[in-house]
């Protein structure tokens, strides 16, 4: 197990190094000068040059890369060009929205998908199964931003139960903050829940047709007992993979939903950073997201190994 | 336990939590009568008006947090602000400002002549990063006469000096706090900075020690909503009390029909132009430029791209300005004339690049202009650029034939005198007019020079002059005192109050 983990850790750090170089190069290639952007079209060229100097944009490419990476290793992301505050401060302001939103959506998605998937699998080809699968088909097909707008129309504009967007901040209390995240979380969760429910169902059906289930049934367990005691745990591996992927997707991909609900999350920070050429912010957030995705993959790998001992045997 | 039971149990739990959520609903939208929430499409990158050109900075802090020696009134007039009065020397080169007594910065320190000297010297310094450094170009010295008197000496008379001092870029800041204004602005205005939830909102609160007339509002929140659909939803849900520059003009009719809201259509300083690269063949030929100006149907662009909001212009000047000269007839829509001019110029099979920045006036207007140009035999290659790309390629690199931009600075006809400006005009005669204007302080003569300048750039068909950008806003019908027009890009909250 230890060897398995250390091997995974090595590949994790290699991925990070490659990612940091790629991110840096790609972002440097984008045309556009942050200083020119900040000072606008009426600006004096001298003032733009003075600002470039002040922002450290005149240093060489390699020296800027190493300044950035050494900063990262010390937990220093640098100073945002446009906001002029430490990037770490910007990120920590945003992550307290994006991370809870991601978990909220993931929990909702799991809470919906598990019962739905298990139900559909256990009642295979029944009317219930067909309707659940029909609904999930719809859930996969509906774009989440459109669904989000529907939610706003119904719950904010007509019923006036929720604000149409925005985030009051955690200092306003737990419930107002969670309330502000509720519609976005539902909008994010529904398509994910649909995918997850479908995976859950097919994975359960696959395991239910395995030999050991037949053996269990032969021992005298009924179909339901066999499902709960033996099939479910084994059916979880593909489901875990999907949950891991969904976490990364939700964390990095909430950008459209963040725009619809004007939530100041990480996605919008990147979006703003790109349009304003706040390259230092874009770089840092992207590397952080890469790190999060790699770390989640790592955790999922370990979860596999726990769920399925054959995987860690295989690594010997 | 069967599965049916399990799911229905879960469903009931879900329904219960939904009901709880519904219970938690609070009436945040209807704030108390001293609080107001203003919607803005763009978040300011920082809050220092002396260190960036973003209009959003002034839209939050101008007149609210920071003040200058003079300030713009809602009608564009230049009024006294921190300077109570001034005297101008005979030759027009020495301005002696008398400052208001008892003005304090938000950190409690006194605002006096030293701060004025510091602010002006900082803005015109060698290493200044002030985006409008040109405003301060003629200043040769700033002297403190006594704590409440400042003497500013210019190299030559400048008729727009008091106007220049009213810009957000010329506000007075304190030496101790100037470097932190980007994130923690400290000014002398009627509102103090409270909090900035980045990406979401900036909160201001009333300055109890304000030197001038007390304001009626207690708290002002500027909320940033970039998505037009979300802006509409926020207005409808009454999360926002006013959206002075509403990003979804297609929804204005619906909002206007709703008795809860009032649609406010005002003017801005934004001359929207089809800029042409005057040094690039064949646009260096005046006949080709004239042909393009005659090919354009301004009203069709206003109707098609701006939902009917906007005033046609024939030169680079704001129609609401008393000195405006209506020259639209000179470049009236006349496709036949355009074709004839092209023939005269000996140009055929012309293909021009049309580079469009993100605002909808450019993207939507660009499509319409492309269609209109095709009518007279000019093909266009449209490319949509982000602002940063546009600045790099079109603005700095001058790699474009045509582009559409709204020039939003007040009284910015002076850009035509710049040699290396992106549309590359810099005509000597025009520069002479502008030089005369700078030195002229007699109002009648100034008006004549301003008219001559407008005429000159229209005669030379430097650019295609399209329309003056309208300011289309929405506000709660009970909210009074917001600016209707935008003589500068600001949300001056000093006169705003709830009518009930």
């Amino acid at each position: 197990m230890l060897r398995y983990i250390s091997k995974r850790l090595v590949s994790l750090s290699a991925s990070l190094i490659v990612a940091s170089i790629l991110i840096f190069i790609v972002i440097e290639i984008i045309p556009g000068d942050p200083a020119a952007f900040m000072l606008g079209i009426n600006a004096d060229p001298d003032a733009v040059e003075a600002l470039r100097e002040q922002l450290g944009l005149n240093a060489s490419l390699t020296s800027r890369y190493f300044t950035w990476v050494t900063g990262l290793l010390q937990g220093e992301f640098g100073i945002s060009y446009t906001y002029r505050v430490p990037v770490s401060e910007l990120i920590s302001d945003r992550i307290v929205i994006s991370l809870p939103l991601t978990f909220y959506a993931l929990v909702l998605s799991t809470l919906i998908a598990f019962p739905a998937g298990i139900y559909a699998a256990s009642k295979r080809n029944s009317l219930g199964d067909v309707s659940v699968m029909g609904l999930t088909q719809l859930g996969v097909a509906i774009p989440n931003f459109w669904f989000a707008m529907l939610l706003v129309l119904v719950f904010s504009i007509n019923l006036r139960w929720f604000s149409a967007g925005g985030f009051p901040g955690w200092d306003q209390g737990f419930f107002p903050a969670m309330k502000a995240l509720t519609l976005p979380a539902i909008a994010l969760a529904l398509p994910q829940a649909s995918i997850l429910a479908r995976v859950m169902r097919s994975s359960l059906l696959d395991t239910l047709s395995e030999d050991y289930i037949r053996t269990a049934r032969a021992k005298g367990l009924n179909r339901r007992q066999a499902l709960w005691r033996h099939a479910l745990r084994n059916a979880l591996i593909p489901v875990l993979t999907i949950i891991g992927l969904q976490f990364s997707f939700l964390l990095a991909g909430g950008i459209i939903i963040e725009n619809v609900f004007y939530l100041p999350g990480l996605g919008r920070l990147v979006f703003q950073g790109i349009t304003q050429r706040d390259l230092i912010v874009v770089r840092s957030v992207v590397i952080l997201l890469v790190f999060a995705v790699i770390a989640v993959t790592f955790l999922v790998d370990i979860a596999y190994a726990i769920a399925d001992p054959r995987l860690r045997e295989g690594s010997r | 336990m069967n599965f049916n039971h399990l799911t229905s149990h879960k469903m009931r739990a879900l329904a219960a939590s939904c009901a709880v959520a519904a219970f938690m609903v609070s009436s945040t939208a209807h704030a108390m009568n001293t609080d107001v929430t203003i919607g803005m499409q763009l978040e300011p990158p920082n809050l220092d008006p002396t260190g960036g050109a973003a209009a959003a900075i002034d839209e939050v802090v101008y007149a609210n947090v920071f003040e200058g020696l003079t300030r713009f009134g809602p009608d564009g007039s230049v009024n006294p602000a921190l300077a109570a009065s001034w005297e101008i020397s005979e030759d027009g080169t020495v301005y002696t400002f008398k400052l208001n007594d008892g003005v304090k910065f938000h950190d409690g320190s006194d605002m006096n002549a030293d701060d004025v000297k510091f602010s002006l010297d900082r803005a015109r310094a060698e290493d200044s990063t002030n985006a409008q450094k040109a405003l301060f170009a003629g200043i040769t010295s700033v002297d403190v006469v006594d704590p409440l008197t400042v003497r500013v000496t210019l190299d030559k008379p400048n008729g727009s000096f008091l106007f220049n001092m009213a810009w957000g870029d010329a506000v007075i800041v304190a030496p101790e706090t100037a470097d932190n204004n980007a994130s923690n602005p400290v000014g002398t205005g009627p509102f103090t900075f409270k909090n900035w939830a980045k990406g979401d909102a900036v909160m201001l609160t009333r300055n109890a020690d304000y030197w001038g007339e007390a304001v009626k509002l207690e708290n002002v929140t500027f909320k940033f909503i970039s998505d037009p659909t979300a802006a509409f939803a926020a207005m409808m849900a009454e999360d926002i009390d006013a959206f002075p520059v509403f990003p979804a003009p297609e929804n204005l009719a619906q909002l206007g029909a709703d008795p809860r809201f009032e649609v406010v259509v005002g003017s801005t300083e934004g001359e929207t132009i089809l800029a042409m690269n005057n040094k690039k063949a064949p646009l260096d030929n005046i006949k080709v430029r004239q042909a393009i100006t005659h090919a354009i149907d301004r009203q069709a662009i206003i109707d098609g791209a701006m939902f009917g909001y906007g005033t046609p212009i024939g030169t680079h000047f704001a129609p609401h300005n008393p000195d405006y000269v209506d020259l639209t007839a000179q470049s009236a829509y006349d496709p036949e004339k355009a074709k004839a001019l092209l023939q005269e110029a000996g140009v055929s099979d012309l293909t021009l690049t049309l580079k469009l920045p993100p605002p909808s006036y450019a993207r939507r207007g660009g499509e319409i202009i492309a269609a209109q140009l095709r009518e007279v035999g000019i093909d266009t290659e449209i490319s949509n650029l982000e602002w940063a790309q546009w600045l790099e390629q079109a603005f700095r690199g001058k790699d474009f034939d045509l582009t559409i931009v709204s020039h939003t600075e007040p009284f910015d006809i002076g850009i035509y005198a710049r040699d290396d400006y992106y549309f590359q005009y810099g005509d000597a005669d025009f520069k002479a007019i502008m030089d005369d204007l700078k030195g002229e302080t007699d109002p009648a003569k100034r008006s004549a020079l301003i008219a001559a300048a407008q005429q000159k750039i229209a005669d030379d068909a430097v650019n295609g002059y399209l329309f003056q950008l309208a300011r289309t806003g929405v506000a709660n019908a009970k909210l009074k005192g917001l600016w209707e027009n935008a003589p500068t890009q600001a949300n001056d909250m000093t006169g705003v109050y709830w009518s009930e």
Side-chain angles (χ1 to χ4, degrees):
Chain A
M1 187 73 180
L2 222 60
R3 256 188 79 154
Y4 175 78
I5 292 179
S6 58
K7 264 178 87 174
R8 290 269 146 222
L9 273 175
V10 170
S11 81
L12 185 151
S13 11
S15 315
L16 270 180
I17 293 169
V18 173
S20 79
I21 296 172
L22 268 179
I23 291 167
F24 186 83
I25 293 173
V26 167
I27 287 173
E28 286 298 325
I29 287 172
I30 306 176
D33 173 9
F37 183 86
M38 285 167 70
L39 295 184
I41 61 174
N42 218 6
D44 196 290
D46 288 355
V48 176
E49 197 39 50
L51 188 61
R52 280 186 63 83
E53 195 60 48
Q54 200 181 318
L55 295 176
L57 286 167
N58 288 337
S60 80
L61 213 62
T62 36
S63 93
R64 273 187 290 153
Y65 175 75
F66 283 107
T67 320
W68 178 54
V69 171
T70 43
L72 280 183
L73 291 176
Q74 296 159 355
E76 269 300 319
F77 290 101
I79 307 284
S80 155
Y81 294 153
T82 45
Y83 284 121
R84 315 246 183 120
V85 294
V87 175
S88 50
E89 204 175 286
L90 286 175
I91 292 178
S92 58
D93 281 352
R94 305 299 181 104
I95 210 154
V96 297
I97 295 165
S98 287
L99 211 58
L101 178 62
T102 302
F103 278 115
Y104 196 172
L106 210 59
V107 167
L108 280 182
S109 143
T110 316
L111 282 183
I112 299 167
F114 270 50
I118 295 171
Y119 171 79
S122 69
K123 302 272 173 183
R124 191 179 182 187
N125 293 334
S126 71
L127 183 66
D129 177 25
V130 173
S131 7
V132 168
M133 284 305 106
L135 280 176
T136 57
Q137 189 83 59
L138 201 66
V140 174
I142 291 178
N144 60 11
F145 65 88
W146 186 78
F147 184 61
M149 285 182 206
L150 276 191
L151 289 176
V152 169
L153 200 64
V154 174
F155 293 102
S156 306
I157 296 180
N158 288 332
L159 295 174
R160 306 279 288 273
W161 287 1
F162 294 89
S163 334
F167 186 74
W170 291 103
D171 50 351
Q172 300 295 309
F174 179 75
F175 285 107
M178 286 305 276
K179 195 185 135 196
L181 295 182
T182 299
L183 290 186
I186 294 174
L188 279 173
L190 232 69
Q192 305 302 320
S194 304
I195 297 170
L196 205 57
R198 297 179 76 85
V199 173
M200 184 83 217
R201 175 181 177 272
S202 60
S203 162
L204 252 183
L205 288 177
D206 281 350
T207 38
L208 280 174
S209 61
E210 296 271 353
D211 290 345
Y212 63 85
I213 298 291
R214 206 173 48 211
T215 316
R217 291 292 299 277
K219 266 181 8 193
L221 295 183
N222 66 23
R223 195 176 153 82
R224 196 187 312 147
Q225 286 166 324
L227 188 154
W228 282 104
R229 289 189 200 162
H230 299 283
L232 197 56
R233 178 175 162 165
N234 288 300
L236 276 180
I237 290 198
V239 176
L240 276 179
T241 315
I242 299 293
I243 292 182
L245 285 174
Q246 289 192 342
F247 176 84
S248 328
F249 173 81
L250 289 171
L251 187 62
I255 176 162
I256 296 173
I257 292 296
E258 283 173 9
N259 260 322
V260 173
F261 291 100
Y262 49 100
L263 289 172
L266 276 183
R268 257 185 67 192
L269 182 64
V270 177
F271 187 71
Q272 258 177 348
I274 292 172
T275 53
Q276 299 175 342
R277 288 297 180 273
D278 200 342
L279 305 181
I280 202 154
V281 168
V282 180
R283 250 190 262 158
S284 306
V285 179
V286 173
I287 193 84
L288 196 76
L289 290 175
V290 168
F291 179 76
V293 170
I294 292 177
V296 168
T297 319
F298 175 70
L299 289 179
V300 170
D301 281 347
I302 290 179
Y304 284 167
I306 293 168
D308 186 349
R310 279 172 304 178
L311 283 174
R312 48 181 193 254
E313 303 285 321
S315 73
R316 273 205 195 117
Chain B
M1 177 167 106
N2 66 33
F3 293 118
N4 273 325
H5 180 78
L6 176 85
T7 29
S8 64
H9 178 78
K10 281 264 157 76
M11 289 308 286
R12 233 175 282 143
L14 205 72
S17 50
C18 281
V20 171
F23 255 96
M24 299 185 318
V25 170
S26 58
S27 53
T28 48
H30 276 293
M32 276 172 297
N33 280 355
T34 53
D35 292 359
V36 69
T37 304
I38 302 290
M40 285 170 52
Q41 195 180 9
L42 293 180
E43 177 174 31
N46 63 68
L47 295 175
D48 181 1
T50 67
I57 301 175
D58 280 333
E59 286 173 1
V60 171
V61 300
Y62 186 79
N64 299 329
V65 177
F66 288 107
E67 297 168 306
L69 290 172
T70 56
R71 57 160 294 171
F72 291 115
D75 56 352
S77 57
V78 175
N79 304 324
L82 291 178
S85 64
W86 49 81
E87 276 166 29
I88 308 170
S89 68
E90 277 300 302
D91 64 352
T93 57
V94 181
Y95 284 71
T96 310
F97 291 96
K98 269 282 173 205
L99 304 179
N100 276 300
D101 199 1
V103 179
K104 282 188 188 309
F105 282 103
H106 298 152
D107 63 356
S109 61
D110 288 325
M111 193 287 301
N112 58 34
D114 291 323
D115 299 305
V116 175
K117 178 175 167 55
F118 167 77
S119 303
L120 297 185
D121 284 347
R122 174 173 175 261
R124 66 195 186 93
E126 189 76 34
D127 60 349
S128 159
T129 55
N130 195 302
Q132 313 297 344
K133 207 173 161 181
L135 294 177
F136 312 91
I139 300 177
T140 52
S141 70
V142 182
D143 303 298
V144 175
V145 179
D146 65 54
L148 292 179
T149 313
V150 180
R151 191 169 56 225
V152 180
T153 311
L154 308 179
D155 55 356
K156 50 182 186 268
N158 181 351
S160 7
F161 183 66
L162 292 171
F163 174 87
N164 290 354
M165 291 301 106
W167 284 50
D169 308 81
V171 296
I172 302 306
V173 296
E176 306 80 40
T177 50
D179 289 341
N180 298 324
N181 279 340
S183 53
N184 183 24
V186 173
T188 55
F191 293 96
T192 57
F193 169 75
K194 187 158 104 191
N195 180 33
W196 182 1
K198 295 207 176 57
D200 184 43
V202 170
M203 266 83 77
L204 307 180
T205 188
R206 196 159 70 97
N207 172 12
D209 300 326
Y210 185 53
W211 60 274
E213 196 185 329
V215 288
K216 298 190 180 83
L217 295 174
E218 196 65 42
N219 294 297
V220 180
T221 304
F222 291 97
K223 211 159 176 64
F224 313 116
I225 305 178
S226 56
D227 184 68
T229 320
F232 176 63
M235 216 49 229
M236 289 299 279
E238 295 185 34
D239 292 347
I240 301 287
D241 298 315
F243 222 118
V245 184
F246 190 66
E250 57 274 28
N251 291 328
L252 283 172
Q254 188 184 346
L255 287 163
D258 192 323
R260 292 179 294 163
F261 308 114
E262 204 169 353
V263 170
V264 188
V265 180
S267 61
T268 71
E269 294 298 324
E271 291 83 20
T272 312
I273 61 172
L274 174 70
M276 306 190 222
N277 196 338
N278 279 245
K279 289 233 166 84
K280 199 169 166 201
L283 292 170
D284 53 350
N285 183 340
I286 181 168
K287 289 205 160 58
V288 177
R289 295 200 304 268
Q290 280 170 337
I292 291 173
T293 62
H294 284 296
I296 294 168
D297 180 356
R298 298 186 178 93
Q299 199 55 48
I301 299 168
I302 294 171
D303 291 342
M306 308 308 292
F307 297 86
Y309 299 104
T311 314
I313 52 171
T315 182
H316 196 107
F317 215 71
H320 55 81
N321 191 303
D323 289 328
Y324 174 71
V325 187
D326 186 352
L327 298 170
T328 46
Q330 196 172 324
S331 49
Y333 175 53
D334 188 348
E336 290 314 312
K337 191 168 179 187
K339 284 181 198 161
L341 280 163
L342 283 175
Q343 208 157 26
E344 261 178 65
V347 174
S348 56
D349 290 331
L350 186 54
T351 303
L352 299 172
T353 59
L354 176 56
K355 300 206 166 168
L356 304 174
S360 58
Y361 63 72
R363 294 278 165 90
R364 292 189 195 141
E367 299 287 341
I368 299 171
I369 286 178
Q372 292 175 351
L373 291 179
R374 206 169 302 125
E375 290 294 308
V376 302
I378 301 174
D379 277 324
T380 48
E381 265 171 37
I382 292 187
S383 41
N384 291 337
L385 305 179
E386 289 172 74
W387 270 123
Q389 274 177 305
W390 184 87
L391 283 169
E392 182 94 4
Q393 285 183 26
F395 187 74
R396 193 153 60 165
K398 299 172 187 77
D399 175 18
F400 74 102
D401 296 323
L402 305 172
T403 181
I404 301 177
V405 189
S406 197
H407 283 263
T408 53
E409 275 80 16
F411 200 81
D412 52 9
I413 195 169
I415 54 176
Y416 286 76
R418 291 196 194 175
D419 277 321
D420 205 28
Y421 209 53
Y422 74 108
F423 47 72
Q424 311 207 73
Y425 177 57
D427 177 81
D429 293 343
F430 182 83
K431 279 194 222 167
I433 300 176
M434 290 316 282
D435 277 344
D436 289 349
L437 179 66
K438 252 190 170 174
E440 189 55 70
T441 46
D442 176 63
K445 286 182 187 154
R446 280 184 67 83
S447 290
L449 285 168
I450 292 169
Q454 294 178 55
Q455 186 69 53
K456 175 73 182 151
I457 56 171
D459 289 348
D460 286 350
V462 183
N463 295 314
Y465 304 101
L466 306 177
F467 57 88
Q468 194 74 15
L469 206 60
R471 175 166 146 127
T472 44
V474 187
N476 189 303
K478 294 178 191 131
L479 194 65
K480 306 292 173 198
L482 284 166
W483 280 13
E484 188 176 310
N485 300 320
T488 186
Q489 286 170 317
N491 290 306
D492 178 359
M493 304 306 292
T494 51
V496 177
Y497 62 97
W498 287 98
S499 64
E500 56 184 75

